[in-house]
Amino acid sequence: MLLVVTYSHPARTSLRNVCRTHDETVVRRFGRAALFDDTHFGAFLALRLVEKHGVDVHVELTRPLNEFADVPDVVREAACAYENRDSPSTPYHAFARDTEHPSPSALREREL
């Protein structure tokens, strides 16, 4: 998919108009950003916005996260255990202390 992010009011207006006009190409809208299909037409729309607004539009090629192929088991297990903790107000660093779950610093150091 193509992530299109806008940084000015005129660019946001243009993005909104493109999204309304070509909703079949828009995967999702986020206000000042949108995901377009990774088709030639999606690229055309994104590059048209870049051409019109220059640095006020940023485009990234993205791919969906496959949690089972891209994320190690230990991270998925930690997220599941943390969301099912007994006390909802416990911060993760306190929750992970003295457990097998990775510390916040260990999670920050490792890239997917």
Side-chain angles (χ1 to χ4, degrees), residues 15 31 53 58 62 71 91 95:
L15 177 64
H53 298 285
H58 182 81
T62 66
V71 179
F95 169 81

Side-chain angles (χ1 to χ4, degrees), residues 12-106:
R12 283 193 299 278
T13 301
S14 292
L15 177 64
R16 184 175 47 252
N17 291 340
V18 165
C19 288
R20 286 181 182 158
T21 306
H22 305 287
D23 64 336
E24 74 285 350
T25 303
V26 178
V27 175
R28 184 117 190 243
R29 282 192 59 208
F30 304 100
R32 57 181 65 215
L35 285 170
F36 291 172
D37 280 332
D38 58 348
T39 62
H40 285 198
F41 192 66
F44 167 79
L45 294 174
L47 293 177
R48 186 176 144 219
L49 290 167
V50 170
E51 186 65 30
K52 184 173 184 177
H53 298 285
V55 298
D56 286 343
V57 175
H58 182 81
V59 179
E60 288 282 334
L61 183 60
T62 66
R63 63 180 177 82
L65 176 71
N66 180 331
E67 69 176 281
F68 300 102
D70 299 332
V71 179
D73 290 342
V74 67
V75 176
R76 282 196 320 278
E77 291 165 3
C80 181
Y82 183 61
E83 281 307 307
N84 293 307
R85 66 195 181 277
D86 294 331
S87 176
S89 61
T90 303
Y92 182 74
H93 66 85
F95 169 81
R97 189 179 312 127
D98 300 326
T99 70
E100 294 180 10
H101 300 300
S103 68
S105 60

